[in-house]
């Protein structure tokens, strides 16, 4: 029960931050153009609200609803989820959304997405400033990889050293979606080093679907480098539990891990959990308890090929932006596979998202997930689906191109259709969580 509450608290706090920032993006552009905002709510408030407050001489009511499925700002003269037909039937007022030029309405609608992207870039910048950016150049993994049966059918062989995916160097980063797998699965050609010679492997068009169907993964590390600590990152879990340079880590929860890759792979099995680590210091076997985050990263470099780039405060901003762009590209690359049978079966709702947070509080994991969810929220909201910001943007662009504004009745029907579709997707995704929980 404690684990559930901690994960739920992290999920609610993370989503609350994202929703407030997203809606503030709409709010600030609306106020900039002197458009009246009637409500600014965290969560939805059908029938009643947990909290509401309207400052004196203000047109805006601020509040917290009871249904934690997002939030909203109610902008005067706009067809949105409130479906306020009575207001739309009245004569147009100068402070209303519909009275403003198209370019102003367009900025109001993309404001939420813009602020979510800015938030993600800022969080990633502070992450790399605080913890650094760790990665492994795959060309340095001298003993190569061990590949699944699915990968072997595609042409990979145990011991192959991954070099390039469509001509770009393959790097394993400790991010939520940005790892060597996401770089490879969508490539047409992967170049490996096999017995000292470069070999090009042409991947089948349905390689991703094969991996999702077989559920055996792509590849694991094959290396004989021991896990000897070289440097402990400041503020990391490794520092908290007292690891030091020269410590030789040899087990995870009693499972012997003689090599770094075995150690790392074992950590991946316990993401977000508390584990016991066995290590030698000055020839004496010791143990320590550690709390893993959702990336299963303890925060240390080994005397090997793991690289951690550290940045000054100002240098962290361009590095954070690059991190955010990589994450967005990785997510978009995976998103397109949702429209396959295998991808649809892997969809999840709030339970799936909540389980990405660790069982004990970790600021590194919390901010990593919050930044990642901010990227997802921005991308999902800009999709051209009525009911989302992207749906409004689509109709506004139609107005710009054709010079004709869609009728209010058409916008009402489009909004209803979009909301039905979105509610259906939410029910399906959360239903899949329930099915997995029952039949796991």
């Amino acid at each position: 029960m404690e684990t559930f509450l901690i994960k739920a608290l992290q999920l609610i706090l993370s989503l609350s931050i994202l929703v407030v920032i997203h809606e503030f993006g709409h709010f600030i552009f609306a106020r900039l153009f002197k458009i009246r905002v009637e409500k600014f709510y965290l969560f939805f408030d059908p029938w009643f609200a947990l909290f509401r407050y309207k400052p004196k001489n203000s047109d805006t009511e601020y509040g917290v609803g009871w249904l934690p499925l997002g939030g909203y700002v109610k902008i005067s003269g706009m067809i949105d989820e409130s479906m306020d037909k009575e207001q739309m039937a009245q004569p147009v007022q100068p402070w209303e959304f519909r009275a403003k030029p198209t370019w102003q309405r367009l900025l109001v609608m993309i404001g939420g997405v813009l602020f979510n992207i800015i938030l993600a870039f800022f969080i990633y910048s502070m992450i790399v400033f605080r913890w650094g950016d760790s990665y492994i150049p795959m060309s340095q993994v001298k003993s190569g990889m061990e590949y699944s049966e699915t990968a072997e059918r595609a042409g990979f062989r145990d011991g192959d050293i991954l070099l390039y995916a469509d001509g770009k160097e393959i790097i394993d980063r400790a991010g939520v979606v940005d790892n060597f797998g996401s770089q490879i699965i969508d490539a047409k050609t992967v170049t490996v080093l096999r017995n000292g010679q470069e070999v090009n492997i042409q991947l089948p068009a349905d390689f991703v679907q094969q991996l999702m169907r077989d559920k055996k993964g792509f590849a694991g590390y094959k290396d004989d480098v021991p896990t000897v600590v070289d440097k402990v990152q400041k503020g990391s879990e490794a520092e908290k539990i007292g690891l030091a340079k020269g410590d030789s880590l040899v087990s995870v929860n009693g499972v012997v891990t003689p090599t770094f890759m075995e150690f790392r792979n074992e950590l991946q099995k316990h993401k977000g959990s508390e584990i016991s680590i066995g290590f030698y210091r000055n020839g004496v076997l010791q143990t320590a308890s550690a709390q893993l985050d959702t990336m299963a990263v303890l925060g240390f470099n080994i005397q090997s090929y793991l690289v951690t780039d550290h940045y000054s405060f100002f240098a962290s901003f361009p590095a954070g932006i690059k991190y955010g762009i990589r994450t967005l590209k990785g997510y978009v690359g995976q998103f397109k596979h949702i429209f396959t049978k295998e991808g649809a079966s892997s969809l999840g709702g709030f339970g799936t998202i909540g389980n990405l947070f660790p069982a004990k509080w970790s600021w590194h994991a919390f901010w990593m997930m919050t930044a990642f969810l901010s990227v997802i929220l921005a991308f999902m909201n800009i999709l051209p689906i009525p009911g989302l910001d992207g749906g409004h943007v689509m109709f506004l662009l139609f107005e710009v191109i054709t010079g004709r504004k869609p009728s209010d009745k058409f916008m009402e029907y489009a909004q209803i259709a979009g909301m039905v579709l979105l509610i259906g997707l939410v029910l399906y995704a959360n239903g899949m969580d329930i099915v997995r929980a029952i039949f796991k």
Side-chain angles (χ1 to χ4, degrees):
M1 187 62 179
E2 180 182 359
T3 296
F4 171 80
L5 291 176
I6 291 174
K7 290 187 175 186
L9 177 61
Q10 292 179 88
L11 175 63
I12 292 172
L13 178 59
S14 179
L15 292 181
S16 297
I17 292 171
L18 299 180
V19 169
V20 168
I21 294 296
H22 180 91
E23 299 305 333
F24 182 74
H26 294 307
F27 175 85
I28 197 67
F29 277 106
R31 299 306 299 133
L32 179 66
F33 300 132
K34 295 181 171 52
I35 301 172
R36 183 175 294 176
V37 179
E38 299 175 16
K39 286 186 174 184
F40 188 135
Y41 264 68
L42 171 64
F43 306 148
F44 292 104
D45 61 325
W47 304 296
F48 69 94
L50 300 178
F51 168 81
R52 65 180 74 221
Y53 171 68
K54 188 174 183 179
K56 188 177 181 180
N57 300 323
S58 173
D59 296 317
T60 307
E61 176 183 290
Y62 302 89
V64 178
W66 61 271
L67 188 60
L69 296 178
Y72 70 99
V73 289
K74 187 179 186 306
I75 298 174
S76 295
M78 175 183 170
I79 297 176
D80 57 13
E81 57 270 11
S82 67
M83 297 302 294
D84 192 346
K85 299 180 182 180
E86 182 178 338
Q87 183 185 79
M88 299 302 295
Q90 302 300 316
V92 178
Q93 301 298 323
W95 62 77
E96 290 186 329
F97 177 82
R98 55 182 170 167
K100 301 301 178 179
T102 308
W103 69 270
Q104 292 186 3
R105 286 181 279 139
L106 186 61
L107 285 175
V108 171
M109 293 318 306
I110 66 173
V113 169
L114 178 63
F115 271 54
N116 276 133
I117 288 293
I118 292 173
L119 176 64
F121 287 168
F122 177 76
I123 293 175
Y124 280 129
S125 297
M126 294 301 96
I127 287 173
V128 299
F129 172 66
R130 180 67 178 82
W131 289 285
D133 185 13
S134 297
Y135 59 93
I136 296 174
M138 299 303 294
S139 59
Q140 300 301 310
V141 184
K142 301 303 181 183
S143 295
M145 312 289 291
E146 291 182 347
Y147 297 90
S148 66
E149 294 178 10
T150 310
E152 288 182 346
R153 286 201 307 268
F156 293 94
R157 298 292 178 266
D158 285 349
D160 284 353
I161 299 173
L162 297 166
L163 297 178
Y164 308 104
D166 288 339
K168 295 182 180 180
E169 183 183 5
I170 299 172
I171 296 175
D172 185 4
R173 296 182 180 275
V176 180
V177 297
D178 190 12
N179 52 48
F180 69 84
S182 66
Q183 299 169 58
I184 292 169
I185 58 177
D186 286 321
K188 294 180 180 178
T189 304
V190 174
T191 304
V192 301
L193 189 64
R194 181 182 298 168
N195 300 323
Q197 304 225 341
E198 291 190 6
V199 176
N200 290 324
I201 299 173
Q202 305 296 322
L203 297 184
D206 63 341
F207 187 49
V208 179
Q209 286 71 40
Q210 291 182 31
L211 290 171
M212 288 190 291
R213 182 184 62 243
D214 296 344
K215 293 182 171 55
K216 293 182 179 180
F218 170 64
Y221 286 97
K222 176 184 179 182
D223 211 295
D224 55 2
V225 177
T227 312
V228 179
V229 177
D230 181 47
K231 182 180 180 180
V232 176
Q233 298 170 19
K234 187 176 180 181
S236 66
E237 183 68 13
E239 183 184 57
K240 292 177 183 178
I241 66 175
L243 291 182
K245 182 174 182 177
D247 289 348
S248 179
L249 283 58
V250 295
S251 68
V252 176
N253 285 350
V255 177
V256 177
T257 54
T259 70
F260 170 63
M261 294 313 166
E262 289 174 289
F263 178 81
R264 193 178 185 214
N265 290 340
E266 194 64 32
L267 290 184
Q268 293 295 317
K269 301 176 183 177
H270 305 285
K271 292 180 179 180
S273 303
E274 186 173 353
I275 60 168
S276 174
I277 296 174
F279 64 96
Y280 280 96
R281 176 179 294 171
N282 299 324
V284 179
L285 181 62
Q286 302 185 34
T287 60
S289 295
Q291 175 61 50
L292 293 180
D293 59 21
T294 55
M295 276 64 70
V297 174
L298 288 172
F300 65 87
N301 295 352
I302 66 169
Q303 297 173 358
S304 181
Y305 41 71
L306 183 66
V307 178
T308 300
D309 292 336
H310 295 279
Y311 299 88
S312 66
F313 179 76
F314 291 107
S316 68
F317 287 98
I321 291 172
K322 289 181 181 178
Y323 202 130
I325 293 173
R326 288 199 311 262
T327 303
L328 177 59
K329 287 182 177 178
Y331 179 73
V332 172
Q334 293 187 8
F335 179 80
K336 62 187 178 184
H337 301 297
I338 289 177
F339 301 102
T340 65
K341 177 183 177 181
E342 295 81 4
S345 66
S346 66
L347 278 175
F350 293 112
T352 296
I353 299 172
N355 280 326
L356 294 175
F357 289 94
K360 288 193 176 181
W361 197 278
S362 164
W363 281 115
H364 180 263
F366 175 80
W367 289 119
M368 283 289 287
M369 277 304 305
T370 300
F372 178 53
L373 292 175
S374 194
V375 169
I376 293 177
L377 184 60
F379 175 74
M380 294 299 292
N381 262 284
I382 206 61
L383 292 176
I385 300 173
L388 296 176
D389 297 342
H392 291 282
V393 170
M394 176 178 63
F395 293 126
L396 284 168
L397 291 177
F398 172 83
E399 183 179 342
V400 169
I401 295 170
T402 65
R404 293 184 291 113
K405 185 178 180 180
S407 69
D408 289 345
K409 185 61 65 176
F410 173 82
M411 293 296 291
E412 287 177 13
Y413 289 145
Q415 184 75 16
I416 292 171
M419 292 302 295
V420 170
L421 173 62
L422 294 174
I423 292 172
L425 288 174
V426 170
L427 292 175
Y428 174 79
N430 286 281
M432 291 297 294
D433 283 346
I434 296 173
V435 171
R436 294 189 193 100
I438 295 174
F439 298 102
K440 65 178 180 180

